[in-house]
């Protein structure tokens, strides 16, 4: 895997954490009036991942290529369902 010198776009830093991140690319942000997310490519002991981090909440997830492929196969309505669960809108349906 090397030290990142041969991959200048990814040679931002080295890390060592509970998720096994050994190297990380430069982060970029995506946001709107409701939230913001930092995205970066990381290298772990098990391979490449995409890291998504929400600075406001401190939440973070690492997704591998298979998980990302599964996300792309979802219909947009599925994400609306997930939003409803996360925001508590489905609690009314359970009453």
């Amino acid at each position: 895997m090397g030290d990142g010198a041969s991959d200048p776009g990814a040679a931002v830093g080295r890390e060592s954490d509970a998720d096994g991140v050994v190297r990380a690319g430069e982060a970029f942000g995506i946001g709107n009036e409701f939230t913001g997310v930092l995205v970066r490519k990381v290298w772990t002991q098990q391979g490449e991942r995409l890291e998504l981090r929400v600075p406001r909440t401190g939440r973070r997830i690492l997704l591998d290529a298979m998980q990302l492929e599964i996300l792309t196969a979802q219909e947009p309505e599925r994400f609306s369902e997930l939003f409803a669960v996360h925001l508590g809108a489905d609690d009314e349906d359970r009453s």
Side-chain angles (χ1 to χ4, degrees):
M1 208 180 284
D3 64 359
S6 62
D7 190 357
V12 170
R14 291 186 178 276
E15 296 187 10
S16 179
D17 61 23
D19 293 318
V21 173
V22 295
R23 188 166 48 121
E26 186 172 344
F28 63 92
I30 297 174
N32 62 21
E33 64 273 20
F34 303 109
T35 193
V37 178
L38 292 176
V39 180
R40 69 181 179 168
K41 183 177 180 177
V42 298
W43 287 260
T44 71
Q45 296 167 353
Q46 287 76 40
E48 299 172 340
R49 304 284 187 268
L50 190 66
E51 177 190 64
L52 305 175
R53 181 185 306 264
V54 180
R56 182 178 54 83
T57 63
R59 290 188 177 206
R60 161 182 182 247
I61 189 168
L62 299 179
L63 301 171
D64 67 18
M66 183 63 72
Q67 293 164 323
L68 292 167
E69 181 179 345
I70 290 167
L71 282 176
T72 65
Q74 302 305 307
E75 295 295 326
E77 294 79 16
R78 177 66 179 137
F79 292 101
S80 296
E81 294 168 9
L82 290 172
F83 296 147
V85 170
H86 178 72
L87 299 174
D90 69 331
D91 291 342
E92 297 171 6
D93 296 338
R94 295 181 190 172
S95 303

